Amino acid sequence: KRLESFRVLLNREYTESGPAGVINFDDNVPKEKPSMSVRLNEHLVLVNKLYYRTLESILRGESERLKTCNFNALLNNGNFHRSLYIWCLEVILRSKEILKLMYPKSAKVLKVGSLDLIKIVDCFIKYVPALPRISRQHIHSIEENIMEEAAWRSDSIGQIVEIMKKDKTKSPQQNLFLRKLYTLAHNRIRKLCIGLFSTESTTELMRLTFSTFKYAVSRHPELLQDRHLDHVILCS
């Protein structure tokens, strides 16, 4: 039922945003190519297979790690299933080059928040070790886009600025996001400083810039709302 509802939503978005089929007038090939919906459904069969295989790997691996078989809370968590499905979907869409449904469109259609995607991405990569390089690069680019800009949009699902303002204790999900954000920012600040300034002044400048950036994000997250991460780095 859950995956079928995803299929219906994706089909609706896919067919409504483009023509239903393509007519070919060459006598040496079939007159009509398969409709967009038919092709998409063929790909979604692969998504479902990857989803179930990954879910099984996660449950088996976490059962061994945590020494428990009780995953009722996880299995009843709709955000978990939608997020897992999105990552499986992105792998298949990227391999088939179906650009119009790739992130952020996929997340918008299935109503998946940025934090939910970030929360599960490491687990997904861990339990799908045979991911092709191009799939890993695609996943990494989505991660970066979320932390750079998508999570800070005022119209995003589970808007991070509001969550950070309300949750002063920093939940594990929020801490994971901030840890990844700070790592990304630190690497960009380092690259910027090395490229622009002499070696003697780089270390102290990096420290001051990163400290300013970290203070701005933790104390005044609204500064990032509807802005790109690099804007705040340059102003730090």
Side-chain angles (χ1 to χ4, degrees):
K1 276 186 176 181
R2 179 181 284 115
L3 300 195
E4 175 62 16
S5 68
F6 296 164
R7 186 191 69 80
V8 170
L9 290 171
L10 290 167
N11 264 278
R12 184 183 303 156
E13 177 64 30
Y14 194 54
T15 54
E16 288 180 355
S17 59
V22 178
I23 304 299
N24 194 312
F25 295 98
D26 189 338
D27 291 335
N28 297 318
V29 296
K31 293 295 183 184
E32 187 172 349
K33 294 182 180 180
S35 71
M36 296 168 66
S37 182
V38 170
R39 294 200 302 271
L40 177 62
N41 284 321
E42 290 173 353
H43 300 328
L44 292 183
V45 170
L46 300 178
V47 176
N48 289 355
K49 289 180 179 179
L50 179 58
Y51 166 84
Y52 283 120
R53 189 163 66 243
T54 306
L55 179 60
E56 182 180 1
S57 297
I58 290 174
L59 295 178
R60 186 187 301 115
E62 291 302 290
S63 177
E64 293 176 1
R65 185 177 72 88
L66 300 174
K67 308 302 180 186
T68 181
C69 293
N70 185 0
F71 292 102
N72 290 335
L74 181 67
L75 293 174
N76 290 320
N77 187 328
N79 289 335
F80 165 76
H81 289 286
R82 285 193 297 273
S83 300
L84 177 59
Y85 188 86
I86 285 289
W87 288 123
C88 295
L89 179 68
E90 288 297 325
V91 168
I92 301 301
L93 292 182
R94 181 64 185 85
S95 68
K96 304 300 181 181
E97 298 186 346
I98 305 179
L99 305 180
K100 68 165 58 180
L101 277 181
M102 284 186 194
Y103 182 88
K105 178 68 73 175
S106 57
K108 183 178 181 181
V109 171
L110 298 184
K111 294 181 171 54
V112 177
S114 299
L115 283 180
D116 291 316
L117 288 173
I118 291 294
K119 183 178 181 181
I120 197 179
V121 63
D122 291 337
C123 183
F124 177 76
I125 293 174
K126 176 182 178 181
Y127 288 110
V128 191
L131 276 177
R133 182 184 178 190
I134 193 171
S135 297
R136 289 178 177 271
Q137 289 176 335
H138 180 55
I139 290 172
H140 180 65
S141 71
I142 293 175
E143 263 196 289
E144 285 203 351
N145 180 263
I146 288 173
M147 291 182 287
E148 286 174 341
E149 191 172 17
W152 306 104
R153 292 183 188 135
S154 54
D155 60 350
S156 66
I157 300 171
Q159 217 271 327
I160 183 64
V161 172
E162 295 304 316
I163 293 174
M164 290 179 68
K165 284 182 177 179
K166 293 177 182 177
D167 185 8
K168 300 298 184 181
T169 60
K170 301 289 187 297
S171 64
Q173 188 177 2
Q174 187 176 325
N175 280 329
L176 174 63
F177 175 83
L178 289 175
R179 187 165 68 249
K180 287 175 174 286
L181 176 71
Y182 291 150
T183 299
L184 176 64
H186 186 274
N187 290 337
R188 291 196 175 178
I189 290 170
R190 180 176 182 275
K191 184 181 295 186
L192 184 65
C193 290
I194 290 176
L196 294 178
F197 304 102
S198 63
T199 306
E200 293 76 15
S201 60
T202 296
T203 303
E204 181 63 12
L205 182 61
M206 282 173 51
R207 187 188 69 78
L208 291 173
T209 304
F210 181 69
S211 296
T212 303
F213 172 83
K214 193 172 180 180
Y215 177 86
V217 172
S218 61
R219 299 295 183 90
H220 301 283
E222 66 276 6
L223 291 174
L224 277 120
Q225 187 162 312
D226 294 319
R227 290 190 174 96
H228 194 284
L229 173 69
D230 292 346
H231 295 165
V232 180
I233 288 177
L234 289 173
C235 293
S236 299

